[in-house]
Amino acid sequence: TEWVSGGRHVLIWPADCALTPRGVSFAAPQVTLALMKRMIHCRPRILMGPGLRILRGPGRLRHVVLQAMVSRPQTTASHVFRDGELALLMEPRRRHKPRLIKLDSARETETSLGRLRHTNVIGQEVGVQLRTSLGGKVTLRRPSLEEYTLLMSRGATPSYCSVIYTAICMLDIGPGSKVVEAGTGSGAMTLHLSRVVGKDGRVFSFEVCPDHLKIARRNVAGWTRSWDLSHSDQGQTWPDNITFHSAGVQDARDHLEEDPLVDAVFLDMPHVTSALTGLVDILQPNGLAVLFLPNITQAVEVDAYIRETELPLQTEDIVRVCQEHWTVKPSRTKRLVTPDNERADSSEWGSQGSRTEEESTGKESTEVNGATAVSSLSYICRPNHRQSPHSGFLIKTRRLLKTATCSSI
């Protein structure tokens, strides 16, 4: 017998074994339950566990298969939780929303299923299921940027991802772009813009409310710190390309002394018309500006203001953005089919040329005490009971070139 170590798993390798695609195979005459009991140190009828599967025939052991897991890939440091990074805690009950927690070895989190010590999470694989102090199971994984912006602290109403993604497409920006954001809010749009423009681009965020700016700075720092921890072994860091300004966009040109012209501007503020003049001063010719407005009457006012003041801006598109979540889940309805009603059903439906029980799609059958429990698989598709009422309008405008005068020939 040869033993090969593989972490917590051990491969039993007798000399007369045969290597099969399913593992290490033994014939029944050579390997008995008593021998397996001595080798694995467990009860004969409970020979299941990590790396082990036993196939038994009726009345006696016919085939034993040991599946070794020594070739299991080692978990890299980037796939385990670290002390200080963010984790998303999800409970199995649907009525409990996911929770955003910051891992700290000296803390614990209270859930509806009991307490969870952070020391039990740190060092575990991302996506692990752990038991709380009361025995309940919870799942922990890393949050995406979308989930983080929805669960982070709020100073103002955050920009939802449906608005953010649509606005980024309308702004037509990419790596290396310079973008001005007016109305930092909670920092949701700031983080998405930072990811899009990359390390070679810049994001200038303007906010007049000191409280909102303080919360936005904390949210941005919390995400970047956690992202750097989770990618530290790969040598990657979140791009340091965000500059906050406690001022209005009307004074943006004074804060952009090196290069006052930017590629795109995103406005999300109460009084948009008062910022349009300052927008024209910092937006380069043919640059795009996207304005977020809660209702259509404000969109009409903005378009009318641009026409009346003859600003070098052209409204290209107005889009209403809304998001609706749906629930799609299987629903099983079962009935008991006995030999009597099975013959009745076959004579009734088979004579009409319809599909019989065996030909129906999406059905499974199980033998139960001489009868067959037929499960008909159907789906429930409906809008979620809890919907986000947030919607708004995005106005896409373009900075026009100055009118050139051509002399007649």
Side-chain angles (χ1 to χ4, degrees), residues 219-233:
N219 289 335
V220 170
W223 170 260
T224 55
R225 188 185 307 113
S226 177
W227 198 91
D228 292 346
L229 282 174
S230 61
H231 295 75
S232 59
D233 63 314

Side-chain angles (χ1 to χ4, degrees), residues 114-374:
R115 296 188 304 272
L116 180 67
R117 295 183 180 274
H118 291 191
T119 53
N120 298 334
V121 182
I122 298 173
Q124 296 287 343
E125 295 184 36
V126 177
V128 67
Q129 284 190 343
L130 298 177
R131 291 192 178 273
T132 61
S133 59
L134 299 180
K137 283 186 178 181
V138 293
T139 304
L140 292 105
R141 61 175 176 83
R142 288 184 179 133
S144 64
L145 183 55
E146 175 186 2
E147 293 166 334
Y148 176 77
T149 54
L150 293 177
L151 298 174
M152 65 185 183
S153 302
R154 300 183 181 183
T157 303
S159 299
Y160 286 83
C161 294
S162 56
V163 175
I164 292 175
Y165 298 151
T166 307
I168 289 177
C169 290
M170 296 173 74
L171 288 172
D172 192 26
I173 56 176
S177 300
K178 294 176 56 179
V179 187
V180 164
E181 176 195 17
T184 307
S186 300
M189 187 65 175
T190 312
L191 284 171
H192 282 85
L193 290 174
S194 173
R195 182 169 64 176
V196 171
V197 301
K199 62 180 181 180
D200 296 329
R202 296 297 302 176
V203 177
F204 304 96
S205 187
F206 292 83
E207 177 60 59
V208 296
C209 181
D211 294 337
H212 293 176
L213 189 60
K214 181 180 178 180
I215 295 175
R217 289 178 183 271
R218 185 169 63 246
N219 289 335
V220 170
W223 170 260
T224 55
R225 188 185 307 113
S226 177
W227 198 91
D228 292 346
L229 282 174
S230 61
H231 295 75
S232 59
D233 63 314
Q234 303 175 7
Q236 299 179 6
T237 57
W238 189 268
D240 185 15
N241 55 9
I242 302 175
T243 304
F244 292 100
H245 297 282
S246 181
V249 71
Q250 300 87 343
D251 305 326
R253 192 175 182 86
D254 299 335
H255 296 273
L256 305 175
E257 297 178 355
E258 297 180 358
D259 191 0
L261 296 182
V262 297
D263 300 314
V265 177
F266 177 75
L267 298 182
D268 183 5
M269 48 190 299
H271 306 288
V272 178
T273 53
S274 61
L276 291 179
T277 304
L279 180 151
V280 173
D281 295 336
I282 61 175
L283 190 60
Q284 67 178 359
N286 204 40
L288 291 170
V290 175
L291 292 64
F292 175 76
L293 300 169
N295 54 67
I296 190 62
T297 56
Q298 291 178 315
V300 174
E301 293 176 0
V302 169
D303 187 71
Y305 181 82
I306 293 175
R307 295 176 184 273
E308 292 173 1
T309 56
E310 296 183 354
L311 290 175
L313 295 174
Q314 180 181 3
T315 303
E316 293 189 349
D317 198 6
I318 300 178
V319 179
R320 180 176 183 266
V321 181
C322 59
Q323 187 173 355
E324 186 180 51
H325 296 272
W326 276 65
T327 296
V328 178
K329 61 181 181 179
S331 174
R332 291 181 179 269
T333 56
K334 291 189 176 182
R335 63 187 180 90
L336 194 64
V337 180
T338 61
D340 296 334
N341 59 24
E342 185 178 7
R343 286 193 296 270
D345 291 344
S346 61
S347 62
E348 179 181 355
W349 295 96
S351 59
Q352 298 178 9
S354 303
R355 292 184 301 179
T356 61
E357 194 73 41
E358 292 78 13
E359 296 173 348
S360 302
T361 59
K363 293 189 176 182
E364 301 174 358
S365 60
T366 306
E367 191 74 21
V368 180
N369 296 330
T372 303
V374 178

